[in-house]
């Protein structure tokens, strides 16, 4: 094949030209086209723009700061525990609730009605905290939205820079906000004649976490200012460096610093607004302004500084250093890894699809590129579920890193996430009478505790995820090092899965449950046995675990093979289609509770890779997917439903349906900033990060396909005016 042909392959179908390009794309031109511009004041229902690095994010209102809306400064490392329950009972008195399982009583992490306060404490703790608010102060008071006119704000994606301009009393203000990939820091450059007039200053404030009853399950603004005596802040000048100072914040066992630094040529001074020990809502408020040492005729018209958040006191980088690093790092991010260019398409939906692709890549880098852990579902914008992440969602949050050619970020999370939770998960399985590691559902790395909950305790499909992720890692890097890195986690997972399956003496098969909850969390847990998707996933994962040992030339535990060969058959109904779980007949399709979200049946021939000895009949799975398409109508689909529908449609050869689900804009909403909205009855504030990340995973699927698949563009119909150019994408398993 010539070099030209290797760069450009043209497919002609029905007289319509559709190109697939692996050559050079003008990435900067495309990325810049989708900069986010806002010219209206936002309110508390609007998602803020962000800067950050995956472990840390700073969320801003129209001022480029947190001035008239107290948005959050969140990190992956700052957590807090509420005071113990007032009942006097310690959380250690909670031991779960028993459920009959395979003929014996087993204690699960289910809310105990006799220990309501203790159960709620375990659900809500530890909780992610807001590190502090940084905003503008005008004429001695916090600047209000009503004082602002002519706002304009632009998120420049290529450089990760937010530039905000507005007027106060007719005078211009410009704020440039940038994050840093190397440090959990944000840099500000504030320019206005109001600075030299002494009218415009910077304000810091520190909230305290509320008591986390169910009232605070979803926190748009994390923390409150109602308990000033429950925490302390202290101004700690830097005796060695006149260009920096520090604020220490202590909340019982949690302590961290805001390390501040500014250029020597524009010195600043930090003062505390009130006396330590004050019982007012402003007790922990500080003001940063040009130093009083500056002579009156030399007062600067700008304030430039860095706020670096850290568990320890340190001297951060200068603003100029962070500006230089930030722009370089974002350029490298956009220039490397996968890219999809739809800008030559004539299809009317191409522009919005391109916008979502570009903005999703920005948002996952800011919210989901953490070290050693998966993001919470609302990323680093607000707290849903007390800031904890969900183990069943780790694929939808993180698999895209591998298929978009950004393996570093995938490897930053895995298998470290599982290794951190391995000890507690082994202890959990042992306490319940099983072998191996039973992974939690809703958790946090510090404790590894599985937050009590009916669904949390009985959900199954997070257990096999390590095999899927390990296989994805191996497909990208098929080396012995990859095998060895994952082997301990895979072994512990497979040991649990083989141990958990219960032998049914009447059938001779190994059952899964009851009690169980399926993927969609809408099945009756005490009677649900042998969920179709979970059975197929169990089989796949035990086979991958065995294959893993074979690749390492190690013995395969006989129980893995025995259980995988003797799992119960996938349940079917009298119509010859798969059912959600065993015992249902074809009337289940009319069950409003089940047909409201039957996505697990789509996953049988979608996200789940196909093995040669798979128990999934591909033709039956295809026909089942066609039936699902009839009952799971647009108004019912929410969350990560669209990505899995698009993937399934591509895999069964229905490109038109695949692109429909990626472009169902009337139902699948992305806001003006490009954040996916969960929709439906989710009850959570935006963003919904599995929506953005799952969308990217589905796009890669629809462009380059999957291992063992045939052809490219399985999700783009040839006759619909799509011209797809791509670089750096990798096939899914």
């Amino acid at each position: 094949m010539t070099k030209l042909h290797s760069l450009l392959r043209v497919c002609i179908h029905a007289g319509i030209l559709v190109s697939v390009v692996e050559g050079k794309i003008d990435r900067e031109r495309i990325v810049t086209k989708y900069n986010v511009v806002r010219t209206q004041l936002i309110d508390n229902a609007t998602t803020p723009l962000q800067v950050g690095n995956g472990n840390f994010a700073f969320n801003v209102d129209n001022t480029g700061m947190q001035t008239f809306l107290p948005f959050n400064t969140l990190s992956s490392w700052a957590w807090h525990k509420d005071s113990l329950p007032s009942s006097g009972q310690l959380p250690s008195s909670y031991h779960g609730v028993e459920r009959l399982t395979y003929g014996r009583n087993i204690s699960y992490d289910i809310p105990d009605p006799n220990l309501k306060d203790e159960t709620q404490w375990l659900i809500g703790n530890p909780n992610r905290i807001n590190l502090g608010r940084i905003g503008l102060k005008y004429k001695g008071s916090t600047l209000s939205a009503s004082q602002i006119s002519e706002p304009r704000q632009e998120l420049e994606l290529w450089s990760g820079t937010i530039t905000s301009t507005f007027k106060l009393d007719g005078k211009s203000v410009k704020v440039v906000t940038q994050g840093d990939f190397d440090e959990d820091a944000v840099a500000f450059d504030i320019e206005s004649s109001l600075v030299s007039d002494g009218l415009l200053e910077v304000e810091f404030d520190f909230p305290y976490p509320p008591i986390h009853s169910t009232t605070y399950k979803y926190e748009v603004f994390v923390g409150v200012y109602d308990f000033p005596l429950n925490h302390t802040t202290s101004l700690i000048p830097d005796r060695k460096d006149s260009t920096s100072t520090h604020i220490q914040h202590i909340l019982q066992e949690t302590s961290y610093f805001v390390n501040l630094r500014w250029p020597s040529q524009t010195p600043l001074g930090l003062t505390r607004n009130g006396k330590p020990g004050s019982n007012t809502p402003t007790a922990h408020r500080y003001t940063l302004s040009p130093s009083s040492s500056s002579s009156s005729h030399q007062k600067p018209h700008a304030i430039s500084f860095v706020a670096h958040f850290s568990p320890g006191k340190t001297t951060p980088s200068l603003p100029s250093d962070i500006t230089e690093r930030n722009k370089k790092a974002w350029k490298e991010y956009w220039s490397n890894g996968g890219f999809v260019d739809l800008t030559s398409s004539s299809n009317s939906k191409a522009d919005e699809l391109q916008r979502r692709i570009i903005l999703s890549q920005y948002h996952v880098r800011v919210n989901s590129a953490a070290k050693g852990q998966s993001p919470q579902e609302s990323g680093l914008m607000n707290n849903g579920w007390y800031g904890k992440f969900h183990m069943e969602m780790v694929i939808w949050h993180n698999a895209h890193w591998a298929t978009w050619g950004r393996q570093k970020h995938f490897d930053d999370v895995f298998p470290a996430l599982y290794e951190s939770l391995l000890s507690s998960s082994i202890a959990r399985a042992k306490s319940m009478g099983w072998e191996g590691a039973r992974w939690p559902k809703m958790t946090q790395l510090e404790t590894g505790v599985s937050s009590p909950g009916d669904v949390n305790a009985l959900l199954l499909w997070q257990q096999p995820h390590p095999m899927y992720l390990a296989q994805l890692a191996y497909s990208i890097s098929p080396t012995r090092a990859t095998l060895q890195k994952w082997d301990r986690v895979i072994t512990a997972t497979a040991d649990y899965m083989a141990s958990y399956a219960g032998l049914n003496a009447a059938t001779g098969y190994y059952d899964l449950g009851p009690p169980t909850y399926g993927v969609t969390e809408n099945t009756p847990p005490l009677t649900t046995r042998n969920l179709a998707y979970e059975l197929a996933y169990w089989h796949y994962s035990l086979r991958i675990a065995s294959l893993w040992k074979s690749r390492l030339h190690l013995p395969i535990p006989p129980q893995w093979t025995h259980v995988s060969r003797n799992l119960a058959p996938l349940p079917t109904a009298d119509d010859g289609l798969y059912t959600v779980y065993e015992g249902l007949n074809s009337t289940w399709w009319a069950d409003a509770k089940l047909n409201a979200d039957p996505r697990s049946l789509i996953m049988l021939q979608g996200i789940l890779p196909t093995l040669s000895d798979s128990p999934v009949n591909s033709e039956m799975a295809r026909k089942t997917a066609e039936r699902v398409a009839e009952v799971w109508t647009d108004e019912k689909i929410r969350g990560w439903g669209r990505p899995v529908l698009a993937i399934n449609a591509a895999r069964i050869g229905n490109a038109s349906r695949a692109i429909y689900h990626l472009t169902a804009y009337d139902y699948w909403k992305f806001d003006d900033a490009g954040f996916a909205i969960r929709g439906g009855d989710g009850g959570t504030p935006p963003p919904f990060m599995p929506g953005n990340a799952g969308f990217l995973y589905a796009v890669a699927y629809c462009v380059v396909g999957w291992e063992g698949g045939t052809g490219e563009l399985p999700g783009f119909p040839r006759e619909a005016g799509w011209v797809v150019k791509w670089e750096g994408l990798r096939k899914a398993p």
Side-chain angles (χ1 to χ4, degrees), residues 483-501:
L483 295 170
Q484 291 174 328
K485 184 166 66 171
W486 279 90
D487 185 54
R488 186 172 176 227
V489 168
I490 283 183
T491 301
T493 303
D495 282 344
Y496 169 74
M497 293 175 66
S499 174
Y500 169 80

Side-chain angles (χ1 to χ4, degrees), residues 108 122 144 289 337 377 406 450 479 600 633 646 650:
Y108 290 88
L122 289 168
S144 68
S289 56
E377 299 209 357
R406 295 192 169 104
S450 181
T479 66
S600 63
T633 50

Side-chain angles (χ1 to χ4, degrees), residues 66-96:
Q66 299 154 338
T67 303
F68 62 87
L69 289 170
F71 287 125
N72 308 306
T73 306
L74 298 181
S75 73
S76 61
W77 48 265
W79 297 79
H80 172 261
K81 292 179 182 177
D82 297 337
S83 300
L84 293 174
S86 58
S87 63
Q89 293 277 0
L90 296 176
S92 58
S93 62
Y94 168 86
H95 299 290

Side-chain angles (χ1 to χ4, degrees), residues 52-69:
N53 58 28
N55 279 298
F56 167 87
F58 186 83
N59 300 268
V60 305
D61 60 24
N62 292 87
T63 66
M65 305 179 84
Q66 299 154 338
T67 303
F68 62 87
L69 289 170

Side-chain angles (χ1 to χ4, degrees), residues 494-523:
D495 282 344
Y496 169 74
M497 293 175 66
S499 174
Y500 169 80
L503 181 62
N504 187 324
T507 65
Y509 290 119
Y510 283 90
D511 290 340
L512 301 183
T516 58
Y517 266 112
V519 168
T520 51
E521 304 173 7
N522 60 356
T523 55

Side-chain angles (χ1 to χ4, degrees), residues 448-503:
V449 168
S450 181
S451 299
D454 290 328
V455 172
N456 295 358
L458 303 177
L459 201 67
L460 286 184
W461 70 293
Q462 76 271 27
Q463 303 303 334
H465 282 350
M467 281 67 155
Y468 183 96
L469 293 162
Q471 187 70 0
L472 177 56
Y474 189 75
S475 70
I476 303 299
S477 180
T479 66
R480 185 171 181 82
T482 301
L483 295 170
Q484 291 174 328
K485 184 166 66 171
W486 279 90
D487 185 54
R488 186 172 176 227
V489 168
I490 283 183
T491 301
T493 303
D495 282 344
Y496 169 74
M497 293 175 66
S499 174
Y500 169 80
L503 181 62

Side-chain angles (χ1 to χ4, degrees), residues 438-671:
R438 177 182 170 93
W439 304 112
K441 192 272 191 197
M442 171 181 154
T443 192
Q444 183 264 354
L445 290 185
E446 179 186 336
T447 63
V449 168
S450 181
S451 299
D454 290 328
V455 172
N456 295 358
L458 303 177
L459 201 67
L460 286 184
W461 70 293
Q462 76 271 27
Q463 303 303 334
H465 282 350
M467 281 67 155
Y468 183 96
L469 293 162
Q471 187 70 0
L472 177 56
Y474 189 75
S475 70
I476 303 299
S477 180
T479 66
R480 185 171 181 82
T482 301
L483 295 170
Q484 291 174 328
K485 184 166 66 171
W486 279 90
D487 185 54
R488 186 172 176 227
V489 168
I490 283 183
T491 301
T493 303
D495 282 344
Y496 169 74
M497 293 175 66
S499 174
Y500 169 80
L503 181 62
N504 187 324
T507 65
Y509 290 119
Y510 283 90
D511 290 340
L512 301 183
T516 58
Y517 266 112
V519 168
T520 51
E521 304 173 7
N522 60 356
T523 55
L526 300 184
T527 57
T528 296
R529 184 191 315 274
N530 292 330
L531 291 144
Y533 178 69
E534 283 74 0
L535 278 172
Y537 203 5
W538 230 256
H539 179 274
Y540 166 82
S541 297
L542 287 172
R543 294 292 296 121
I544 291 298
S546 297
L547 179 60
W548 211 261
K549 292 297 183 186
S550 296
R551 290 166 175 163
L552 284 167
H553 304 291
L554 296 172
I556 300 168
Q559 188 68 0
W560 297 3
T561 304
H562 177 69
V563 170
S564 67
R565 288 176 176 172
N566 293 282
L567 282 168
L570 271 59
T572 58
D574 51 307
D575 57 3
L577 304 180
Y578 287 117
T579 65
V580 178
Y581 59 92
E582 186 179 286
L584 297 174
N585 58 37
S586 59
T587 62
W588 83 267
W589 291 104
D591 184 328
K593 187 172 184 179
L594 292 176
N595 70 28
D597 194 345
R599 77 182 69 189
S600 63
L601 295 181
I602 290 203
M603 294 164 70
L604 288 169
Q605 196 174 21
I607 194 70
L608 186 64
T610 302
L611 297 177
S612 59
D613 62 345
S614 171
V616 179
N617 180 293
S618 60
E619 181 61 17
M620 187 181 296
R622 185 191 66 78
K623 290 180 178 178
T624 303
E626 297 294 345
R627 184 76 175 97
V628 168
E630 296 175 11
V631 303
W632 199 21
T633 50
D634 281 318
E635 67 276 6
K636 299 177 183 177
I637 301 166
R638 63 183 179 89
W640 47 276
R642 296 285 176 185
V644 78
L645 282 162
I647 290 170
N648 169 260
R651 291 192 72 134
I652 65 175
N654 193 331
S656 295
R657 184 184 296 164
I659 198 64
Y660 172 77
H661 285 301
L662 287 181
T663 60
Y665 305 144
D666 290 341
Y667 299 96
W668 193 16
K669 302 292 187 181
F670 280 47
D671 68 14

